[in-house]
């Protein structure tokens, strides 16, 4: 089993690269953003609570997303490995994930951290907002809040995994294929 975290700020390409990595390696993709948007689409109570925060560019409470990941892990026994996208986003989430994986006698193998300048992140997200229908992409103020949340609460998650010597930084600007090759090289040397 090989478990990886694709890490990086909003707009760094986690979703784009996840699709390619899943197709290539057969990982089970666990994106908390996708799970939350699905809850919103289905009009659940959790979705309503999450929408309010997501529309303002703020994180959803740890207990909610940790519960979602716990359920997803239980629903997917016997997979080759998990690709975590957009999770963990706080140190509490990272500690909970480590404990959940430990219960299953497994662990995170590597954290691949995409590095993209703030200017490029804003450009990509505003551009996607023209067509995506994502309410958190539509204006620069919400995009700014998402990046701030990342800097205040999420960037520290890399330090958690650096202590375990599991973080590799990958330049996240350039063509999608170039970045995919860099990510694949790191996975191939470890799996
Ligand atoms: P989430 O859905 O996780 O969104 P995000 O982290 O803000 O990331 P994005 O999906 O916007 O960007 P990405 O890095 O996946 O890049 P992408 O490939 O899409 O979270 C949304 C919200 O949900 C959060 O704000 C929070 O409220 C809540 N949430 C989710 N998880 C949570 C958690 N664990 N805890 C608490 N709250 C949580 O690419 C972006 C754009 O760039 C696309 O248009 C793409 O085509 C383009 N692009 C990609 N690669 C390139 C490239 N190389 N060159 C040029 N353009 C590119």
């Amino acid at each position: 089993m090989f478990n990886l975290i694709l890490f990086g700020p909003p707009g760094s390409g986690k979703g784009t690269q996840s699709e390619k990595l899943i197709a290539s390696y057969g990982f089970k993709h666990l994106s908390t953003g996708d799970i939350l948007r699905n809850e919103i689409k289905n009009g659940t109570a959790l979705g309503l609570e999450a929408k309010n925060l997501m529309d303002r560019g703020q994180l959803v409470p740890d207990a909610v997303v940790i519960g979602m990941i716990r359920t997803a892990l239980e629903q997917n026994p016997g997979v080759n490995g998990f690709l975590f996208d957009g999770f963990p986003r706080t140190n509490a989430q990272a500690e909970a994930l480590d404990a959940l994986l430990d219960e299953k006698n497994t662990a995170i193998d590597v954290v691949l951290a995409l590095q993209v300048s703030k200017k490029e992140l804003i450009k990509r997200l505003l551009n996607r907002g023209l067509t995506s229908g994502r309410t958190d992409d539509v204006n620069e103020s919400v995009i700014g809040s998402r990046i701030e949340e990342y800097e205040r609460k999420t960037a520290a998650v890399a330090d958690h995994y650096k202590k375990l010597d599991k973080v590799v930084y990958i330049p996240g600007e350039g063509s999608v294929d170039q970045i995919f090759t860099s990510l694949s090289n790191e996975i191939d040397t470890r799996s």
Side-chain angles (χ1 to χ4, degrees), residues 15-33:
T16 304
Q17 296 297 335
S18 289
E19 274 185 33
K20 292 176 75 71
L21 292 168
I22 293 153
S24 222
Y25 294 94
F27 297 123
K28 175 68 191 169
H29 184 208
L30 292 184
S31 156
T32 39

Side-chain angles (χ1 to χ4, degrees), residues 4-10 12-14 83-90 110-115 150 153-159 161 167-170 183:
L4 87 94
I5 296 172
L6 197 51
F7 189 75
S12 56
K14 302 182 297 293
L83 190 169
F84 296 94
D85 161 5
F87 181 91
R89 258 175 150 101
T90 62
V110 69
V111 178
L112 298 176
L114 293 167
Q115 291 188 295
Y150 174 83
K153 298 178 182 167
T154 306
V157 170
D159 299 332
Y161 287 104
V167 181
V168 180
Y169 287 96
I170 305 283
L183 294 168

Side-chain angles (χ1 to χ4, degrees), residues 125-143:
L125 294 174
L126 283 174
N127 187 42
R128 183 175 63 184
L130 298 173
T131 54
S132 68
R134 263 182 70 163
T135 47
D136 56 352
D137 283 345
V138 286
N139 71 58
E140 205 167 327
S141 143
V142 175
I143 290 170

Side-chain angles (χ1 to χ4, degrees), residues 16-83:
T16 304
Q17 296 297 335
S18 289
E19 274 185 33
K20 292 176 75 71
L21 292 168
I22 293 153
S24 222
Y25 294 94
F27 297 123
K28 175 68 191 169
H29 184 208
L30 292 184
S31 156
T32 39
D34 286 350
I35 300 171
L36 289 166
R37 278 184 289 277
N38 203 37
E39 295 282 339
I40 293 172
K41 202 171 95 194
N42 293 333
T44 65
L46 192 160
L48 284 177
E49 181 193 351
K51 181 171 169 37
N52 192 26
L53 293 161
M54 289 165 78
D55 283 351
R56 286 186 276 138
Q58 293 174 5
L59 294 185
V60 171
D62 286 336
V64 172
V65 285
I66 291 166
M68 284 173 5
I69 288 290
R70 181 184 292 114
T71 304
L73 293 179
E74 279 162 11
Q75 285 171 344
N76 290 281
V79 297
N80 276 342
F82 291 98
L83 190 169

Side-chain angles (χ1 to χ4, degrees), residues 165-187:
D165 204 18
K166 290 186 175 174
V167 181
V168 180
Y169 287 96
I170 305 283
E173 294 185 42
S175 79
V176 168
D177 284 344
Q178 271 170 355
I179 298 161
F180 174 67
T181 301
S182 308
L183 294 168
S184 299
N185 287 342
E186 294 298 335
I187 295 168

